[in-house]
Amino acid sequence: MKFGKTFEKSLEDHHIPEEWIVSSIQYKPLKKKINKVVEEMDDAGLTHEIIAERHLMYYYTFKENQQHEIQPKLLTDDNEDANSINEKMLTLHSDIVFFQALYSQYLKLIQFNKLQSTLILAKIQQLSHLIKKLTSSDQKNKNDMYLWREIFNKYVEYKLDLKSHFDSKNLDSFVGHIEDIKLLKKFKHTKKNTEYFHNFYELNLELLKFLSFENLNTIAIRKIVKKFDKHTLLHSSQNFNKMITFEKSSLSTSSIEQVISTDIVKLVPQLDDYLCPICFSIAYKPVRLTCNHFFCIRCLIKLQRRNEPKCPICRDPVVMDATEANVDYDLLEYMKKNFPKEVKKKQSQNEKEVTDETLSTLYGDDKCII
């Protein structure tokens, strides 16, 4: 299948909205403009045969004027004199029409990307605000916070498993999994949270479409310029590609994807960020060393008892200097608010461990046989 049809079918398969397609690269009309260039070259006697026979080398240089119009200049290297290159200019008209049309479409695409990025960001921030209200650690009932944490953990797992190949089918599988385990029905505020979860799904779907749209148009630009070079035997790709870059958009799609992770997924604190790196459970009570690494108080006490002075993370000799003053009480309160179940479990484990140590000190390791 020719790329023109492939391009149209890909836009359709990715369910790209009609209002987006208006801003896409118009591949087929551009292809017709290439044919016009070939016709003009033939009329001027610059056929493929002559170019090949005379070993002629034509290449384009480009610059953008103040009106943001591209100005192509076609030059030729005359290699008749082996000791020097005599640069000559060849004048065509239809090639200017082609490149100006392509560059104009590219600029239109950039403007679309900027606008769409802004709209998606606004939706992300709005949804982030709504979810934050329902999952605030200040809420007495922590149920919804834990459920959103589970949802986001599943979301991250799906993305990590699939790496870069996270498409709409995989997104649907993620949603299907959440529905299969009936997670949404466990919410205290079922209606609101279900609505926000649907919005989260729609945001990801829109982002995936946006990524696909940008990628397809990037390919279309590369393909049409390559086709121009092939059909005309004029070399434009290298210098034209230097003129275009999607970095001109205010926010790249990869950045938007990162914003979803930071503004929404990270909205609900994740337990992994607050684990003690020694026992791999929540770092309660957190003792922050002067190197800024923190550990649960029980693990730190054990390090000191074993006279191990070096931080297990950075190896700075700061362990023996830690005292009660190193307990990070702000972080402790944060953990109590955001991980009440885990804190309670760790407290219970710590108390049992202290009791066992006390009994062991008093009675040794001998067990009662009665």
Side-chain angles (χ1 to χ4, degrees), residues 141-178:
N141 191 312
K142 309 290 185 182
N143 178 67
D144 289 359
M145 179 180 72
Y146 272 94
L147 289 173
W148 273 107
R149 182 175 293 148
E150 187 173 350
I151 286 172
F152 290 147
N153 281 338
K154 294 294 182 186
Y155 174 78
V156 171
E157 284 175 15
Y158 265 75
K159 296 203 75 174
L160 286 176
D161 289 343
L162 297 160
K163 295 183 180 177
S164 60
H165 189 61
F166 189 70
D167 57 24
S168 57
K169 290 182 180 178
N170 304 133
L171 183 61
D172 288 340
S173 296
F174 157 72
V175 173
H177 175 72
I178 297 300

Side-chain angles (χ1 to χ4, degrees), residues 300-308 319-323:
L300 190 80
I301 289 172
K302 291 174 185 177
L303 286 176
Q304 290 182 333
R305 285 176 178 173
R306 294 196 298 266
N307 198 29
E308 296 181 13
V319 170
M320 304 307 292
D321 298 331
T323 66

Side-chain angles (χ1 to χ4, degrees), residues 167-357:
D167 57 24
S168 57
K169 290 182 180 178
N170 304 133
L171 183 61
D172 288 340
S173 296
F174 157 72
V175 173
H177 175 72
I178 297 300
E179 291 174 347
D180 288 343
I181 61 177
K182 297 180 172 56
L183 212 56
L184 299 179
K185 293 183 179 180
K186 298 177 183 178
F187 278 111
K188 180 183 178 183
H189 304 286
T190 306
K191 187 176 180 180
K192 281 188 177 180
N193 281 290
T194 301
E195 178 188 343
Y196 297 162
F197 178 77
H198 178 73
N199 291 346
F200 179 67
Y201 164 75
E202 290 292 335
L203 260 179
N204 276 273
L205 197 59
E206 186 172 2
L207 175 59
L208 288 170
K209 288 179 183 179
F210 189 30
L211 287 166
S212 299
F213 182 71
E214 184 180 72
N215 183 54
L216 288 169
N217 278 283
T218 303
I219 294 171
I221 291 175
R222 189 179 73 244
K223 288 277 189 181
I224 197 67
V225 176
K226 186 177 179 181
K227 184 173 286 291
F228 178 92
D229 288 6
K230 181 180 179 181
H231 283 232
T232 63
L233 297 186
L234 308 176
H235 299 270
S236 67
S237 298
Q238 184 174 357
N239 287 331
F240 185 82
N241 288 338
K242 292 177 182 177
M243 290 289 296
I244 62 171
T245 168
F246 283 96
E247 291 176 0
K248 286 187 178 180
S249 59
S250 60
L251 188 66
S252 68
T253 48
S254 58
S255 297
I256 296 176
E257 192 173 18
Q258 186 65 31
V259 170
I260 284 185
S261 295
T262 54
D263 277 22
I264 297 183
V265 175
K266 293 295 184 183
L267 189 65
V268 181
Q270 300 300 306
L271 181 61
D272 287 352
D273 296 329
Y274 301 94
L275 296 180
C276 170
I278 296 177
C279 64
F280 300 107
S281 61
I282 192 166
Y284 178 86
K285 294 177 178 179
V287 179
R288 191 177 295 277
L289 303 178
T290 53
C291 61
N292 209 37
H293 295 120
F294 63 86
F295 306 85
C296 73
I297 193 166
R298 292 296 301 162
C299 286
L300 190 80
I301 289 172
K302 291 174 185 177
L303 286 176
Q304 290 182 333
R305 285 176 178 173
R306 294 196 298 266
N307 198 29
E308 296 181 13
K310 294 182 179 180
C311 168
I313 304 298
C314 65
R315 311 307 295 168
D316 281 357
V318 293
V319 170
M320 304 307 292
D321 298 331
T323 66
E324 178 71 20
N326 289 85
V327 175
D328 190 333
Y329 285 100
D330 289 338
L331 182 57
L332 175 60
E333 289 304 312
Y334 183 84
M335 288 180 178
K336 286 180 178 179
K337 277 188 173 184
N338 289 282
F339 307 100
K341 294 179 183 178
E342 292 80 2
V343 165
K344 186 176 180 180
K345 182 179 179 181
K346 187 64 177 282
Q347 280 180 306
S348 178
Q349 289 173 345
N350 286 353
E351 289 169 3
K352 182 179 183 303
E353 195 171 312
V354 170
T355 301
D356 289 345
E357 287 178 358

